[in-house]
Amino acid sequence: MNILVLGGGQFVGRYVVEAALERGYTVSTFSRGKTNPHLFPQAHKLIGDRRAGELGALEQGTWDAVIDVNGYFPREVRQSTSLLKGRVGRYLFVSTVSVYADPSRTDEDGPMQQVENPETEEMTPQVYGGLKAVCEDVVREAYGEQATVVRPHLVVGPHDHTGRFSYWPWRAAQGGEMLFPAPPEDAMQFIDARDLAAFVLHLLEQNTPGTYNGARPHFTLAELESALAQATGNAFEPVWVDADFLQQQGVRPWADLPAWIPGDGVSRTPTERSQRAGLKYRSVLETVRDTLAWLKSLPEVKVAGISREQEAELLEAWRVRRAIADS
């Protein structure tokens, strides 16, 4: 195949380009050329800026498919779909599970987020999902049955620049008492970036239309703890702290303890449709091990989440709380 990737220098786009080249495909990337420009010298690099409307490099050429990994605003996506119309076979848009309006209805047909001003170009967490939903509609309206939408969950793995899931393997490797939010049976979910890239390419290879959640099946926090223990040689001692207590102490799910969302909902996003369409996924342990190996190779590591000092304060407060309860 001859593929155009809108993006391609950072994380998801990086793995998409890497996987496509490994399969022997011809790849063109369109980006500003500022993020990891040294990567993939064998790819055709088209330079432009979607935000600024500088799309001249896309005015010529034909491709079997386009993979849009960095469309965030409807104007940007409308411009690219219009400009490429008739010159690409299939338009695959990488969206997000944040488009869902109801955390208990995250199947592909669940209700979508709405945004008051779909033409805003001020990105905030409050409008992110709604804008992505509008972008999906733009792609479908332009390409119909030649449109494919993939809605990734939290994307994790080596080269994750956000430092979100990376918090867990890096913290585990530091050893000592390590805070885990109870109960251990609560769900967690993500998609390894390498599995997401392989799924995207598989959908293109099969010329598959439709909408698909990009997530591996959910697992439990206990399974995460077990994978971390195996990857680090039991370097840490887990301390399970009640979720209600953590939130009373001001701990923010997802932000302070990355990838953690108490209860069910989006952490149990259905994946059956995607698996039927060809989604394959690696084990939690493999993702943890590979992420940790990558982190250890870096000259400096920056991850999201609470600091060791905050963690120690929380654990001490939890011990006091338990002592009072037991007295």
Side-chain angles (χ1 to χ4, degrees), residues 17-85:
V17 173
E18 182 178 275
L21 290 171
E22 287 177 351
R23 298 181 188 208
Y25 299 149
T26 300
V27 179
S28 300
T29 62
F30 176 80
S31 70
R32 294 178 302 165
K34 295 182 178 181
T35 302
N36 297 318
H38 62 285
L39 293 176
F40 313 122
Q42 63 272 54
H44 303 288
K45 298 185 179 181
L46 308 176
I47 304 300
D49 188 338
R50 299 181 82 178
R51 291 300 309 276
E54 298 172 0
L55 305 178
L58 296 177
E59 292 178 354
Q60 302 293 325
T62 59
W63 295 271
D64 296 313
V66 56
I67 303 172
D68 188 343
V69 301
N70 64 0
Y72 296 100
F73 299 103
R75 173 189 61 83
E76 297 175 348
V77 178
R78 196 173 295 114
Q79 288 177 337
S80 62
T81 56
S82 176
L83 183 60
L84 295 170
K85 184 71 174 176

Side-chain angles (χ1 to χ4, degrees), residues 238-278:
V239 180
W240 294 91
V241 179
D242 183 77
D244 290 339
F245 172 81
L246 290 174
Q247 292 184 78
Q248 290 167 8
Q249 297 295 311
V251 176
R252 299 166 299 168
W254 194 263
D256 295 324
L257 289 178
W260 169 57
I261 304 176
D264 295 333
V266 73
S267 291
R268 294 180 183 271
T269 294
T271 63
E272 290 80 7
R273 180 187 295 185
S274 297
Q275 291 185 68
R276 289 194 299 269

Side-chain angles (χ1 to χ4, degrees), residues 10-11 154-171 254-260 291 294-295 298 300-307:
Q10 186 164 270
F11 204 30
L154 175 67
V155 185
V156 306
H159 301 294
D160 177 8
H161 60 288
T162 71
R164 292 179 294 184
F165 178 76
S166 304
Y167 163 84
W168 294 98
W170 186 248
R171 171 61 191 89
W254 194 263
D256 295 324
L257 289 178
W260 169 57
T291 302
W294 168 69
L295 290 168
L298 299 177
E300 181 181 8
V301 175
K302 294 181 179 180
V303 297
I306 57 175
S307 67

Side-chain angles (χ1 to χ4, degrees), residues 1 45 50 63 105 115 135 139 144 149 151 167 181-183 186 196-197 208 218 246 254 281 285 299 306-307:
M1 288 195 298
K45 298 185 179 181
R50 299 181 82 178
W63 295 271
R105 276 290 314 279
V115 59
C135 291
V139 173
V149 173
R151 296 170 177 163
Y167 163 84
D186 259 4
L196 176 61
T208 306
H218 71 269
L246 290 174
W254 194 263
Y281 53 91
L285 177 58
I306 57 175
S307 67

Side-chain angles (χ1 to χ4, degrees), residues 112-139:
M112 306 284 281
Q113 292 270 8
Q114 302 294 315
V115 59
E116 183 175 344
N117 177 15
E119 297 308 316
T120 183
E121 299 205 1
E122 182 179 351
M123 181 59 72
T124 66
Q126 290 73 33
V127 301
Y128 172 63
L131 289 177
K132 277 286 199 177
V134 177
C135 291
E136 289 186 15
D137 290 339
V138 169
V139 173

